[in-house]
Amino acid sequence: QVQLVESGGGLVQPGGSLRLSCAASGSIFSIIAMGWYRQAPGKQRELVATRTSGHSTNYADSVKGRFTISRDNAKNTVYLQMNSLKPEDTAVYYCNARLYSDPHEHNEYWGQGTQVTVSS
């Protein structure tokens, strides 16, 4: 079994900051990539940021310059530092991982989601 556990969401005023964390645990042989997606009410789930084990990163245009993704490979953990938050950033944020559970099997996993609300 593989589990992704997110933390760090909450309520923040516009212009504020939050840091999300996601720790992967269970049967993990190697991690291909980890990242963050978000889904606002009535909207489709969208990519926020991803980072591969080769350190390649990808950001949505709407968060470039404000959000930073990083990884601690020793802890199988990915972080999302969110600065200059805007009301339109309000959404449920989901951690995503693509990994090998053994040398011959790979799959995609999702966390349960953490709520981020930006409001005054």
Side-chain angles (χ1 to χ4, degrees):
Q1 293 285 346
V2 174
Q3 287 189 315
L4 305 180
V5 180
E6 302 124 321
S7 62
L11 175 64
V12 65
Q13 293 185 337
S17 298
L18 286 173
R19 191 190 193 208
L20 306 183
S21 299
C22 174
S25 63
S27 181
I28 301 172
F29 181 76
S30 64
I31 295 175
I32 301 169
M34 296 186 73
W36 294 91
Y37 293 71
R38 67 185 182 187
Q39 187 167 24
K43 303 291 183 65
Q44 297 184 66
R45 186 173 298 186
E46 64 176 349
L47 182 148
V48 177
T50 60
R51 187 177 182 90
T52 69
S53 294
H55 306 294
S56 177
T57 60
N58 186 35
Y59 293 92
D61 288 341
S62 60
V63 307
K64 287 181 179 177
R66 300 188 297 120
F67 292 10
T68 302
I69 188 169
S70 61
R71 280 176 60 179
D72 185 335
N73 291 332
K75 298 180 179 179
N76 291 328
T77 299
V78 65
Y79 306 92
L80 185 68
Q81 179 66 46
M82 305 185 293
N83 298 325
S84 301
L85 284 162
K86 305 174 180 179
E88 51 262 44
D89 295 317
T90 296
V92 177
Y93 284 69
Y94 296 91
C95 180
N96 172 270
R98 288 182 285 128
L99 57 85
Y100 283 89
S101 56
D102 63 51
H104 306 291
E105 298 290 335
H106 66 276
N107 216 328
E108 186 177 50
Y109 300 89
W110 293 92
Q112 79 286 351
T114 184
Q115 177 71 48
V116 172
T117 302
V118 185
S119 176
S120 59

